[in-house]
Amino acid sequence: MFRQVLLAASRSNGVRRAMETAPFAQGVVRRFIAGGEVDDVLDVTLSLTGDGRLVTIDHLGEDTTEPSHAEAVVTDYLSLLDRLGSQGLGDRAEVSVKLSAVGRALDEGLAVENARRICAAAETAGTTVTLDMEDHTTVASTLRILRELRRDHPRTGAVIQSYLRRSEEYCAELAYEGSRVRLCKGAYAAPSDVAYSARADIDKSYVRCMKVLMAGPGYPMLATHDPRLIEIAGALAVLHDRAPGGFEYQMLYGIRSAEQSRLAGMGAQVRVYVPYGREWYGYAMRRMAERPANLAFVLRSFTTR
Ligand code: FDA
C-alpha cells in the first residue's frame, strides 16, 4: 500500500516540480545521485573505476513532453560521451538511456533518431548504451526500438523486469550471441494481469530468467542487491562455466557499496548505475518505494541539514 502511494506520487508532475526545487534535495542528491552536473558524475565515475568497478551513467529525466527538452537531453548525453571518450573511460563507463527522456511520448520515430545519435556517440567513445525499461505500457515499444537500434549498434543493451509475467519469454528471445541483457526486478506500478506483485513470485521469476540468460550465449547483466539472488548467480556461473568476464553484477549508486567492492575484489565484474542531473524526483521516489529504510535516510538528511 505504502509502495503504491509512493509510486503514484512519483508520476505526479505537480509534486515533482515542488520537490525538485525543495531545499532538502541536496540530501537526496548526496546519497543516491552523483550530483547535478557532468563534472559531478565524472568525479564519481573516476572514483568507482579507480576502485575496480564499472559504471553506467544515467542522465536523470523522464516523461519529456517538449521536443526542445528531448534535444537538450540528447545534447547532454553527447557531451557526456565526448568527455568519457576523451578521458579514456569508454572501456569502463557506458550510459543508460530512458526513451521517454528523448521524446518517445511525442513521437516514437523521434525517440529512435535521438537514441541512434546517442548510440553513435557511444561507439565513437568506445562504449555502449543500455535502454532502461520503464512502465509496462512501454515494453513493446522499447523492445521494438531496441531491435531497430541493434541493426546498426548490435551492442545496445536491453533491460528485462522479472516482475513482468512475460519476462522469461522476453529473456529467451533476447538470449542470443552478443546480446547484452540487464535483468532487474522492476520498479514501476503495474496491474496484476501484467506483473507479479508478491515479492516471492518476483524473485522466483528472477531466478527463472537468470537461468535462461546464464545458460544462453548472450551477455547477462544481473542487476540486483538481493544477497540470495547474487548467490544463485554465482552458482549458475559455475554451472555454466562462465568466466568472470562473461557476465556482470550490477547495483545502484549508494546501495550496498561494500558488497559491490567485495564482489569486485573477488574478481567479478561489477557495474554501478550512477544517475546525475537535476530531475531527481521520479528516480528517488522509486528508491524509497523499494525500501522504507531509504525513505528514513532521506528524512534524516532533511532534519540534520
Ligand atoms: P529488493 O529491493 O527486493 O531487495 C532485495 C534485498 O536486497 C533486500 O532484502 C536487502 O537484503 C538487499 N537490499 C536492497 N536494498 C538495500 C539497501 N539499500 N541496503 C542494504 N541492502 C539492500 N528498474 C526498472 O523498472 N527499470 C530499469 O531499467 C531498471 N534499471 C536498473 C538498473 C540497475 C543497474 C539496477 C541495480 C536496478 C535497476 N532497476 C530498474 C531497479 C530494479 O528494478 C529494482 O527496483 C531495484 O534494483 C531493487 O530491487 P532489488 O533487486 O535490489 O531487490
Side-chain angles (χ1 to χ4, degrees):
M1 176 67 182
F2 178 64
R3 179 172 181 270
Q4 298 306 323
V5 171
L6 286 174
L7 287 178
S10 77
R11 305 307 301 260
S12 159
N13 283 333
V15 182
R16 176 194 302 266
R17 274 192 294 277
M19 296 286 279
E20 280 174 351
T21 51
F24 68 91
Q26 288 312 310
V28 181
V29 167
R30 277 199 304 271
R31 168 70 196 263
F32 298 114
I33 294 161
E37 309 300 332
V38 174
D39 284 339
D40 299 324
V41 80
L42 288 174
D43 284 351
V44 168
T45 299
L46 284 170
S47 153
L48 290 169
T49 55
D51 182 53
R53 286 174 264 178
L54 304 169
V55 167
T56 183
I57 301 175
D58 167 42
H59 177 278
L60 286 167
E62 48 201 89
D63 300 333
T64 297
T65 52
E66 295 289 332
S68 58
H69 191 177
E71 184 58 30
V73 171
V74 176
T75 306
D76 283 350
Y77 269 111
L78 300 187
S79 73
L80 167 66
L81 285 161
D82 188 48
R83 298 275 299 272
L84 289 177
S86 61
Q87 295 196 27
L89 285 164
D91 57 341
R92 281 156 288 159
E94 64 139 31
V95 297
S96 287
V97 174
K98 283 187 177 49
L99 290 167
S100 76
V102 294
R104 173 175 33 208
L106 295 162
D107 170 23
E108 189 169 304
L110 173 71
V112 173
E113 277 323 301
N114 283 340
R116 233 195 266 284
R117 289 160 67 197
I118 297 172
C119 289
E123 238 164 63
T124 305
T127 190
T128 47
V129 175
T130 297
L131 300 180
D132 283 336
M133 190 62 86
E134 301 179 69
D135 77 80
H136 69 281
T137 62
T138 64
V139 173
S141 148
T142 303
L143 294 177
R144 195 163 52 235
I145 294 175
L146 174 79
R147 277 194 296 276
E148 185 74 25
L149 294 172
R150 279 188 173 180
R151 285 196 198 140
D152 292 328
H153 307 286
R155 294 172 71 213
T156 307
V159 175
I160 299 299
Q161 300 148 317
S162 74
Y163 71 172
L164 294 180
R165 291 180 185 274
R166 293 184 61 189
S167 55
E168 199 180 342
E169 180 193 325
Y170 295 139
C171 285
E173 279 166 18
L174 286 169
Y176 57 82
E177 181 77 37
S179 173
R180 298 169 59 252
V181 182
R182 173 181 295 159
L183 179 64
C184 67
K185 290 190 186 179
Y188 297 80
S192 61
D193 58 328
V194 172
Y196 303 110
S197 57
R199 277 182 185 270
D201 291 335
I202 298 170
D203 292 357
K204 279 187 219 157
S205 170
Y206 196 104
V207 174
R208 289 195 298 274
C209 289
M210 198 159 45
K211 283 182 175 167
V212 170
L213 295 175
M214 291 295 270
Y219 184 76
M221 305 185 284
L222 306 173
T224 182
H225 313 95
D226 193 323
R228 280 190 315 157
L229 296 179
I230 291 169
E231 208 178 312
I232 295 171
L236 287 171
V238 173
L239 180 69
H240 295 294
D241 214 12
R242 267 189 192 266
F247 71 107
E248 286 178 11
Y249 297 100
Q250 297 192 340
M251 297 190 206
L252 301 176
Y253 178 64
I255 300 188
R256 300 203 75 202
S257 294
E259 175 66 358
Q260 296 171 17
S261 291
R262 187 189 71 83
L263 289 167
M266 286 169 54
Q269 293 200 104
V270 180
R271 191 176 298 273
V272 186
Y273 184 104
V274 185
Y276 83 102
R278 302 195 172 279
E279 295 178 44
W280 55 268
Y281 175 70
Y283 181 87
M285 290 300 276
R286 289 193 292 278
R287 301 295 74 80
M288 288 182 241
E290 267 151 32
R291 194 172 159 85
N294 290 342
L295 176 60
F297 182 91
V298 171
L299 291 176
R300 249 195 333 274
S301 75
F302 180 38
T303 53
T304 56
R305 224 169 39 89

